[in-house]
Amino acid sequence: MKTPAEATDEQIIDRGIEDGAAKLTQDKVKRVVQKMLAAEGGARLKTYIETCAHCGLCSEACHFYISNDKDPAYSPAGKIKQTIGEIVKKRGNVSVDFIKTACEISFTECNLCRRCVMYCPFGIDAAYMMLFMRRICHKLGVVPQYIQDTAHSHSATLNQMWVKEDEWIDTLHWQEEEARDEIPGLRIPIEKEGADIFYSVIGPEPKFRAQLIYQAAVIMHAAGVDWTMPATPGWDNSDMCMYTGDVEMMARLKKVHFETAMRLKTKRIVMGECGHAFRSVHDVGNRYLGWKMAPLPVIHAIEFFYELLRDRKIRIKKKFQKPVTFHDPCNIVRGRGLHEKARYVIHQTCKAFIEMHPNREHNYCCSAGGGVINCGPPFRKKRVTGNRVKADQLEAVKAKGAEIVIAPCHNCHGGLEDIIKHYELGMELKFLGDIIYECMEKE
Amino acid sequence: MHAIYEIVSGPMVWLAAIIFILGSLYRLIFMGRLAAKKDPMVFSYLSVYYSLRSIFHWIIPFASVNMRKHPIMTVVAFAFHICLFAVPIFLCAHIILINEAWQVKWWYLPNPIADVMTLIVIGACIFFLGRRLLLREVRYLTTFSDFLILAGVAAPFVTGFWSYHQYPGHETAAILHIISGEIILVMIPFTRLSHMLFFPFLRGYAGSEFGAVRNAVDW
């Protein structure tokens, strides 16, 4: 079996994996795995494993497989074979070293992008299998250190970035003050009961990209939207616990998010431009809380911008001049079908739009999603070289004249930024909000 | 020889049929109950419309992107599955046997066509074997059981062809034909061949998640 470390010509040492594994024995692994299989290994896991015809047709769906010179160890079914497949076959009787490798594969060689689900004749959900593996790793205490730290932040502060409550409020005040220099009457309404919209963002926005809150406030103001943000935890809609296999904590995060929106008696939640957060609120977290769908309407920023432009709530002063292309993020395209609405927004705001291929549901992942980028610097090189196909895709669209890549997702930004830099593509990245802010009539 | 023929074409057919039917029912009911117990959300999200949309989409050749990416595999896989079912059910010789036993009969395939279809199944099995041996991504996934299953599927067709054409040793071939047919029936519920039973459920679930929850297509 080819190990992932060999594949990248270097030994990746991750303290979270090493230290966690040091505390394990084969016997303990077996006990924990068997308990997990008995408690949560249901019909989906069983049927998926027993039905897979080993046909290999999923391979070409995966950017890791294509980018690693079609090494079969990177194909979706190949990764299942090396991880959860083997665990089920051996009923947990696997070594500690096996767990270390399985951890690395499931956390850093699969973005849970679900592209392969569309390529499997049976629709076997490889992302579910990888998440099952990650959950076993979580139970065993073997999780890459960086993403585990993020999960710790979630459990201690209910946000992803160790942002304290006063820092959060302070950031909102700061951005409001900055924005009032540009637009004097602007407010960022905090704790406004009964507002139409509860606007939530991910932890990195107040931490690193506060200007996005500024821009959102300008758009809300110009559109005359009745909106609010909370002063309490629950403002962060992100969820790395969903990706570490800590489903209990994931459910707690979603509960706080929903309950904060309901405490403020808001009518619906509008989420910033983030993909994984949308997946957790729309698709995953609600299920663990026993809600078939979210308890109040939740929409992603794309849908919100689409509504604002369709209803002429915001007007475009002058269309964005440079030619743009669009990266379809998996969690809001394969995860919510927002691709056409995104294109509507682009056509309304940009002068020249060039499609990259493949696109829409078939777009290649950024390779940052699914918590992979959150596993941090030890795995960066592998993540970037493991997505050479994305660079080829971007290069092709650049050759057609595209200068700007629009990606309405934070993870995609992180991933694409690294790819653009590594492959020296010289393209610029933007959110849809950046474009709208730049081109709209602000008063 | 005659005594063996009597046994394999009499009680063993019954046994195989009963194991196939009861085994399949057992597998489906067991899996349904397991899903209700451990994955109840599967039923909550199941949508009849999106299930059917997905199932029909995936039984039409070249309707999915991946089918168009692998045109030879698509042609072979469809031809194989169609012939695999059509030949045993609509073979004149099989219908005569059933008619003799139960006085029921139905439309049958002209023998030369059934002959060609048998060769298609055998050829497809050789193609699948070739994929398993030659394509890196398939070889990586292949286990010994995959070869056994492939041999198991090919056997009734090879022996059937042999005995129909009365090649030397065709009497033995006929007995082997019946036995291998019985073996394959028994194998269906308990091996990877159970994909025949689970296909509509897996596709239906994937279709429902993609269509009803995620507002996207799954092909």
Side-chain angles (χ1 to χ4, degrees), chain A residues 38 43-44 50 52-55 57 81-82 114 119-121 282-283 287 292 336-337 361-362, chain B residues 27 38-39 41 44-45 58 65-66 131-132 136-137 140-141 146 192 195 203 209 213-214 217 219:
Chain A
R44 275 186 294 170
E50 288 176 19
C52 174
H54 299 170
C55 67
L57 286 173
K81 182 189 165 105
Q82 295 170 78
R114 297 193 277 223
Y119 285 71
C120 171
H282 170 72
D283 194 350
R287 296 183 184 200
K292 188 175 172 185
R336 191 51 190 158
E361 282 105 332
H362 289 273
Chain B
R27 293 281 289 150
K38 298 259 188 76
D39 302 296
M41 39 71 66
S44 313
Y45 290 93
W58 279 88
V65 169
N66 207 19
R131 278 185 97 242
R132 293 222 174 278
R136 234 169 120 209
E137 75 271 26
Y140 185 81
L141 300 172
D146 292 316
R192 229 176 276 296
H195 70 254
R203 270 261 66 95
E209 286 275 15
V213 181
R214 299 181 199 137
V217 298
W219 49 82

